[in-house]
Amino acid sequence: MRVAYVCYLSTLAESGVTRKLEAQISIWREAGHDARLHVLAPCRGAAPARRLELERTGASIVTFGSAARRLDATLALARGVRRSAPDVVHVRYDNFVPPLPLLLRDSLLVVDVNTHLGGEFRYRRTATRAYNAVHRRLVLARAAGIVVAARELRTEWAATGKPCIVVANGYDLQSVQALPAPPATERPRLVFLGEPSAWQGVDKLAELARLLPEVDVDVVGYAPSSLPGAPANVTCHGVLTRSEYEPLLARADVAVGTLALHRKAMKEASPLKLREYLAYGLPALVAYEDTDFPRPVPFLLQLPNEEDNINAAEAQRVREFVASWRGRRVARDEVAHVDLRRKEEERLEFMDSLLRSRPART
């Protein structure tokens, strides 16, 4: 297949999302497919050095400097996709202006959905929410199939009658090695990786740190100003590259996943951060049901997915969980099923099945 992978990125800087996109393209090519990444991004997030790295992999990147220029940039993006004459256009869902389905009428469109749109868009402006309602209908009308990152999302999207498959987020396990556990003689440490948003629940992590004064907490992706009043055992490191935050993972006993998924009306998800933690061998505490771990496993402590899930009782559960994992790591074979290669085999088979079942053009 010739596949065009189209997405909007708020920044081209190194992140879990950009690394996943690169890995997906690489895996698709290894499987014998002609795949290319097409990215729309604002100039403020262009990250010149990172952009050059992406372009060296064959990515086509179109940037815009203002809302007025975004329309022209989207049109240029669509022209680039059409010139590549793909068999399949795989779109990571976002609000494209104008809607990509209108610009790519002749393409077999597969839509990738990673979140509950109604829940997440409640944090956007009124005009953005209204546009998304129209945009979503246009996308559904043109989509040949839909890939969702959680079973919960399949319930929402399969109701449209379109072919829909669940492919949870994965991580390229070959890209990193599990880290040895830190000495149990040091103070216990938690680590969190993430980008600022209400559903990350970093405010709850600060409260957990207050309840566990004997535990140190490293927060990556948040500046100190993001957590005013955080206790002294919390250190906010701001945005770091993987090579910069790896030492923090190495020092940590336990990692922290999403703590407030309920804030965007979700109960289940497959966040990239958890898969990265597990790839490095770190156990984690989360506050949602993970798509790849529907049943309890010893290396995940699941807190309630509700607003008051950080209290003295839950803090004690965390304390005991951390103590039980001191000096230990998660075995790689216990998380082998989160490997991105396994996930992409399912995605590629789905796209190929849609292509084979497409009526011949006349």
Side-chain angles (χ1 to χ4, degrees), residues 296-310:
V297 289
F299 48 83
L300 294 182
L301 176 64
Q302 187 172 336
L303 304 179
N305 184 25
E306 54 195 37
E307 193 59 48
D308 61 349
N309 56 1
I310 302 300

Side-chain angles (χ1 to χ4, degrees), residues 179 182 187-194 200-202 205-206 208-209 212 215-222 227 233-238 240-242 244-259 273-274 276-278 280-286 318 321-322 329:
L179 298 166
R187 276 173 60 88
R189 300 191 76 92
L190 301 179
V191 65
F192 172 89
L193 307 178
Q200 298 288 0
V202 175
L205 181 55
L208 180 63
L212 299 174
V215 177
D216 292 325
V217 182
D218 290 303
V219 179
V220 176
Y222 285 71
L227 278 179
N233 57 333
V234 174
T235 302
C236 292
H237 297 270
L240 302 177
T241 63
R242 181 160 68 179
E244 291 171 331
Y245 65 66
E246 272 185 347
L248 300 178
L249 295 176
R251 296 193 324 184
D253 298 286
V254 171
V256 181
T258 305
L259 296 178
K273 68 164 63 62
L274 177 63
E276 183 164 17
Y277 297 152
L278 296 175
Y280 281 107
L282 273 71
L285 56 100
V286 300
V318 173
F321 181 73
V322 172
R329 287 300 195 220

